[in-house]
């Protein structure tokens, strides 16, 4: 969890001042728990300045930037390379202690701008090439490490956060309506945009080459299934790749802990990491868990206790009492430098705070298990398309037991899409009888949706409906294939957005989150799996469950339920922030009126107030996003008045 920064003049005669890079690093002090340094090339016609805010999580000698060839090559990097042995062998290097940054420069010398294709791990870096008078930048395959930049005719400026760029760029803090409408719709569809029109992000799996005449963006990799032949036992191969991924993410500092929610994903990581510590005769793995009161819908204590008891990890339990989702929210917005799609972030920050206080520097996180391993719902389409109606019925019936969906309704949908006409006609008759009974009951209150939430004028100005159709809605041709739908989910813009949110939150507590599920070989392997390895007998992520046989407690390995955070959020808002919500939607309503549809937001709020236990997810999202947007706009306005 280091921070990187840099400035490259794009006009001769405009030297880079050391004071500028120092000012950028000062804005990232929270990332520099183990020091910071900078380097300036004052000899070249254009020159460059690079800075590094250092959190030592890879057990290296000191902070960067690092140089080679008498300063003709320099790098600043926030990285952890997982295929070091392979790279050392390919490059003919015998010094196994070589820092990751130096290894990156050697890779650049060998393969040039193709070097990211040879890398595995999490990274964001910039290499200044004095001979070419160019800056080469790259971001990892999934966007775990952040990279923001501003480019104009005079300078190119980059950093791990937006604030340091504003500190020296002179770029205006003009808000992006495009980004605001996307936030309200839950649609982070543009991989380059940020909340500010003059600041951009380097997309995941892309590189950037900057010279005095151009800024060239290239994609160096795309998500594809592994081309390697599948082993006969997929669970055994998964266990091998997963264990290797966990081991890679424990490299470096001994101050490694793990989040433990009691769910399948975090429990799998904690158990595998705990076993690896035990086999290496290291101390017990520290784990950190949020504990809600017994009997609440959020209570996962029995599953957490099962993992702690079986693996004998060193469990820290963090009690969550009177949950207040907007507590410290102004501070959180400052950290995030804009809005974000994570209502539970204040709870996650509590884990980072406690882990940091316990001396942790790295925290293993189960985020991404659903996406990487896949719930396998596309397999249902594959069964229907193949005419395997009895197998489809058994799978839907089992899935209904797990997820609570209507068996008959789902089956009818698949028959309508794929089935023979006589089956459709027969089932339609049955469905009509059921519908007649349903219609006699009182109708449930209608929930809002993003179309109701967003101001229609803003939606038109930002082409929101077209954007949502293009990027927020899975095409039918994709839905019909488990492999295609799996890849679509992995490529979704929510993935790097989530990493950036967690990165900024963790950095403020001196923590680096690492994500064993987001490992390139593991992702490629899961994407190549047939549908029945992902969904079987109603259990999604089936290959993971099988792979954890004898490692996970059975109660966790085969648990069917998932925690619904919605009710906790509703009761937290109404119980602790009623005055705030009333103020935002009434006396301060003018602030968000250009962006949201106030009558619809007010109606959603009234429905929540009337029946909080029956609140729909769209209604809750509608109100939460409106409040979050209002508080952020207030911050922006205050900064503008103080400037």
């Amino acid at each position: 969890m280091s921070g990187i920064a840099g400035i490259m003049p794009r006009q001769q005669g405009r030297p880079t001042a050391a004071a500028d890079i120092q000012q950028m690093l000062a804005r990232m002090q929270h990332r520099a728990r183990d020091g910071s340094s900078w380097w300036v090339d004052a000899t070249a016609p254009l020159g460059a300045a690079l800075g590094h805010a250092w959190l030592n999580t890879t057990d290296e000698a000191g902070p960067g930037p690092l140089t080679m060839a008498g300063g003709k090559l320099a790098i600043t990097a926030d990285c952890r390379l997982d295929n070091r042995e392979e790279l050392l062998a390919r490059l003919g290097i015998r010094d196994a202690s070589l820092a990751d940054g130096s290894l990156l420069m050697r890779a650049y010398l060998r393969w040039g701008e193709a070097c990211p294709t040879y890398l595995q791990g999490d990274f964001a870096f910039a290499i200044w090439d004095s001979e070419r008078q160019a800056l080469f930048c790259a971001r990892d395959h999934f966007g775990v490490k952040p990279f923001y930049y501003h480019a104009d005719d005079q300078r190119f400026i980059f950093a791990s956060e937006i604030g340091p760029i504003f500190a020296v760029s002179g770029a205006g803090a003009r808000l992006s309506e495009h980004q605001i409408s996307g936030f309200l719709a839950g649609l982070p569809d543009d991989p380059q945009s940020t909340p500010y029109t003059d600041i951009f992000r380097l997309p995941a799996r892309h590189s950037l080459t900057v010279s005095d005449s151009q800024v060239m963006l290239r994609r160096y990799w795309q998500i594809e299934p592994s081309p390697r032949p599948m082993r006969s036992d997929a669970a055994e191969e998964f266990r091998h790749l997963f264990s290797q991924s966990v081991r890679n993410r424990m490299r470096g500092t001994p101050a490694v802990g793990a989040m433990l929610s009691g769910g399948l994903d975090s429990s799998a990581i904690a158990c595998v990491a705990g076993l690896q510590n035990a086999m290496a005769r290291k101390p017990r793995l520290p784990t950190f868990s949020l504990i809600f009161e017994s009997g609440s819908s959020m209570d996962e204590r029995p599953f957490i206790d099962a993992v702690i008891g079986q693996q004998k990890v060193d469990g820290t339990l963090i009690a969550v009492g009177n949950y207040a989702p907007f507590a410290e929210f102004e501070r959180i917005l400052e950290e995030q430098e804009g809005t974000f799609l994570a209502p539970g972030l204040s709870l996650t920050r509590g884990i980072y705070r406690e882990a940091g206080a316990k001396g942790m520097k790295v925290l293993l996180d189960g985020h991404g298990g659903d996406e990487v391993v896949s719930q396998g719902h596309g397999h249902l389409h594959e069964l229907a398309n193949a005419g395997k109606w009895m197998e489809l019925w058994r799978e839907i019936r089992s899935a209904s037991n797990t997820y609570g969906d209507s068996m008959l309704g789902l089956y009818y949908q698949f028959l309508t899409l794929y089935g023979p006409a006589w089956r459709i006609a027969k089932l339609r008759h049955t469905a009509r009888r059921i519908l007649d009974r349903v219609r006699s009951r009182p109708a449930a209150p209608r929930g809002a949706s993003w179309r109701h939430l967003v101001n229609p004028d803003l939606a038109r100005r930002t082409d929101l409906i077209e954007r949502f159709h293009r990027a927020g809605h899975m095409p039918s041709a994709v839905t019909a294939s488990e492999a295609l739908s799996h890849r679509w989910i992995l490529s979704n813009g929510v993935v790097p957005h989530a990493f950036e949110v967690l990165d900024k939150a963790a950095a403020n507590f001196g923590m680096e989150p690492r994500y064993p599920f987001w490992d390139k070989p593991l992702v490629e392997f899961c994407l190549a799996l047939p549908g029945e390895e992902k969904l079987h007998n109603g259990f999604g992520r089936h290959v993971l469950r099988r792979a954890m046989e004898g490692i996970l407690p059975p109660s966790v390995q085969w648990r069917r339920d998932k925690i619904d955070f919605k009710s906790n959020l509703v009761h937290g808002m109404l119980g602790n922030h009623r005055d705030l919500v009333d103020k935002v939607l009434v006396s301060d309503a003018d602030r968000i009126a250009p962006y949201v549809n106030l009558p619809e937001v007010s109606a959603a709020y009234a429905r929540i107030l009337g029946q909080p236990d029956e609140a729909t997810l769209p209604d809750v999202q509608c109100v939460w996003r409106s409040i979050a947007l209002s508080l952020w706009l207030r911050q922006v306005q205050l900064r503008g008045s103080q400037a």
Side-chain angles (χ1 to χ4, degrees):
M1 180 60 65
S2 294
I4 60 173
I7 307 170
M8 174 188 163
R10 304 186 69 203
Q11 290 183 350
Q12 293 189 23
R14 184 183 172 87
T16 297
D20 285 342
I21 196 68
Q22 292 175 42
Q23 187 176 358
M24 294 182 74
L25 290 172
R27 292 288 294 268
M28 291 194 294
Q29 277 274 317
H30 52 283
R31 290 180 178 266
R33 301 295 175 105
D34 295 310
S36 63
S37 63
W38 62 89
W39 173 88
V40 177
D41 181 2
T43 62
L46 291 179
L50 303 179
H52 187 217
W54 189 40
L55 177 68
N56 185 10
T57 60
T58 51
D59 195 26
E60 295 180 349
L66 303 172
T67 61
M68 288 180 61
K72 291 184 178 180
L73 212 62
I75 187 171
T76 182
D78 179 13
C79 70
R80 187 203 69 256
L81 296 178
D82 291 338
N83 61 332
R84 285 178 52 86
E85 291 184 5
E86 176 191 351
L87 289 171
L88 290 169
R90 279 175 174 265
L91 296 169
I93 300 172
R94 294 184 178 181
D95 182 5
S97 67
L98 196 69
D100 283 355
S102 296
L103 196 51
L104 281 172
M105 281 193 290
R106 300 288 185 93
Y108 175 78
L109 283 173
R110 170 69 64 87
W111 298 301
E113 295 185 1
C115 66
T117 62
Y118 295 88
L119 307 178
Q120 291 179 25
D122 306 332
F123 54 83
F125 66 84
I127 295 176
W128 168 244
D129 188 331
S130 179
E131 290 188 348
R132 295 178 59 205
Q133 289 288 279
L135 190 72
F136 177 70
C137 315
R139 189 177 179 193
D140 62 68
H141 304 80
F142 306 110
V144 174
K145 298 293 187 180
F147 191 108
Y148 300 95
Y149 68 91
H150 167 74
D152 57 29
D153 292 339
Q154 297 182 339
R155 293 193 293 182
F156 177 87
I157 305 171
F158 69 89
S160 297
E161 297 179 1
I162 294 173
I165 299 175
F166 275 138
V168 300
S169 67
R174 188 158 54 97
L175 301 185
S176 167
E177 286 193 336
H178 183 278
Q179 190 80 355
I180 290 174
S181 68
F183 162 71
L184 292 172
L187 183 70
D189 60 317
D190 188 339
Q192 291 183 262
S193 69
T194 73
Y196 302 96
T197 57
D198 295 326
I199 307 292
F200 301 91
R201 58 167 51 87
L202 176 58
R205 49 195 167 271
H206 279 71
S207 65
L208 197 68
T209 304
V210 186
S211 67
D212 59 348
S213 60
Q214 64 180 356
V215 178
M216 183 175 295
L217 182 70
R218 293 188 184 91
R219 185 176 65 186
Y220 65 81
W221 181 75
Q222 61 182 0
I223 298 174
E224 295 287 356
S226 172
R228 293 178 299 173
M230 190 74 63
R231 287 190 184 181
S232 57
D233 189 342
E236 181 182 342
E237 176 70 359
F238 181 96
R239 183 165 51 248
H240 167 72
L241 291 171
F242 185 66
S243 298
Q244 183 62 53
S245 178
V246 172
R247 187 177 301 110
N248 286 337
R249 281 152 184 80
M250 297 177 76
R251 178 175 76 87
T253 175
V256 179
M259 289 176 147
L260 175 59
S261 70
L264 176 63
D265 302 326
S266 69
S267 298
I269 290 170
C271 286
V272 169
L275 285 171
Q276 292 185 0
N277 269 8
M279 286 188 290
R281 298 189 176 182
K282 294 181 179 179
R284 290 181 178 182
L285 177 79
T287 63
F288 299 86
S289 307
L290 296 175
I291 301 299
F292 296 83
E293 63 183 22
S294 179
S296 78
S297 61
M298 302 286 292
D299 181 23
E300 294 195 272
R301 181 69 182 269
F303 303 106
I304 293 167
D305 287 345
V307 172
I308 292 175
Q310 175 165 310
Q311 294 301 331
K312 295 182 172 51
V313 297
D314 185 9
T316 295
L317 307 180
I318 306 165
V320 179
N322 189 16
Y323 175 50
F326 289 112
E328 298 187 296
F329 206 73
E330 292 188 355
R331 171 62 181 152
I332 295 173
L333 287 168
E334 289 175 358
E335 290 173 0
Q336 293 297 321
E337 306 176 305
T339 54
F340 53 92
L341 296 169
L345 184 59
S346 61
L347 293 173
T348 306
R349 288 176 83 252
I351 297 179
Y352 293 149
R353 179 184 286 113
E354 183 67 23
K358 293 274 190 177
M360 298 297 103
K361 284 189 172 183
V362 168
L363 207 57
L364 304 178
D365 190 328
H367 167 69
D370 280 354
E371 295 87 350
V372 171
V373 188
S374 177
Q375 296 289 355
H377 293 154
H379 183 49
L380 299 176
H381 290 266
E382 293 174 339
L383 292 174
N385 195 34
K388 298 180 179 179
W389 299 108
M390 289 305 298
E391 190 175 343
L392 175 66
W393 173 253
R394 288 193 295 269
E395 205 61 69
I396 287 178
R397 182 178 60 188
S398 299
S400 179
N401 292 335
T402 303
Y403 302 106
D405 295 319
S406 165
M407 291 184 290
L408 190 59
L410 277 175
Y411 197 65
Y412 177 68
Q413 289 177 27
F414 283 109
L415 276 172
T416 302
L417 288 170
Y418 301 103
W422 69 269
R423 285 186 181 270
I424 297 173
K426 184 176 180 180
L427 196 62
R428 183 180 290 127
H429 177 70
T430 306
R432 280 175 180 163
R433 287 198 321 237
I434 295 172
L435 285 172
D436 287 341
R437 292 180 201 153
V438 172
R439 285 167 183 155
S440 64
R441 301 172 189 166
R446 178 181 62 83
S449 71
W450 69 263
R451 293 188 186 224
H452 299 108
L453 169 60
V454 182
N455 184 307
D457 291 335
L458 176 66
R460 281 193 293 271
R461 287 198 305 273
T462 59
D463 298 319
L464 185 58
I465 293 177
E466 172 59 28
R467 287 163 51 202
F468 196 89
H469 179 76
R470 183 174 61 247
H473 176 70
M474 190 182 295
S476 57
V478 172
T479 305
S481 163
E482 166 56 27
L484 293 178
S485 59
H486 192 173
R487 185 168 61 180
W488 189 90
I489 291 169
L490 290 170
S491 305
N492 194 284
V494 175
V495 172
H497 171 80
F499 286 136
E500 289 165 10
V501 169
L502 294 171
D503 175 273
K504 292 174 184 176
N508 282 276
F509 299 100
M511 300 296 305
E512 177 179 312
R514 293 182 180 173
Y515 310 95
F517 282 102
W518 294 98
D519 177 74
K520 181 174 175 282
L522 184 64
V523 169
E524 292 175 328
F525 169 78
C526 290
L527 192 55
L529 286 172
E532 58 268 19
E533 289 288 356
K534 303 171 189 178
L535 178 67
H536 185 69
N537 289 336
F539 287 102
R541 294 170 292 167
H542 193 257
V543 68
L544 167 61
R545 297 176 192 270
R546 289 202 301 120
M548 292 298 105
E549 183 68 34
I551 297 174
L552 273 178
S555 61
V556 178
Q557 180 187 6
W558 298 107
R559 65 177 294 190
R560 289 185 175 272
D561 60 319
K562 285 182 75 74
I563 293 298
D564 180 8
F565 294 91
K566 178 187 62 182
S567 61
N568 197 47
L569 178 59
V570 169
H571 292 292
M573 284 197 301
L574 299 186
N576 293 298
H577 305 294
R578 178 75 182 270
D579 291 344
L580 171 65
V581 179
D582 289 343
K583 186 174 185 290
V584 166
L585 298 184
V586 181
S587 56
D588 288 352
D590 288 348
R591 184 179 297 128
I592 55 174
Y595 307 107
V596 307
N597 188 337
L598 279 173
E600 289 289 347
V601 176
S602 298
Y605 182 40
R607 288 192 291 270
I608 293 173
L609 285 174
Q611 293 182 297
D613 293 332
E614 303 298 326
T616 65
L617 181 60
D619 275 351
V620 176
Q621 290 173 332
C622 176
V623 173
W624 187 87
R625 290 174 189 169
S626 298
I627 305 303
L629 177 62
S630 178
L631 296 177
W632 177 60
L633 291 173
R634 180 176 177 272
Q635 273 193 359
V636 172
Q637 290 166 0
L638 286 174
R639 283 201 303 268
S641 65
Q642 294 167 359

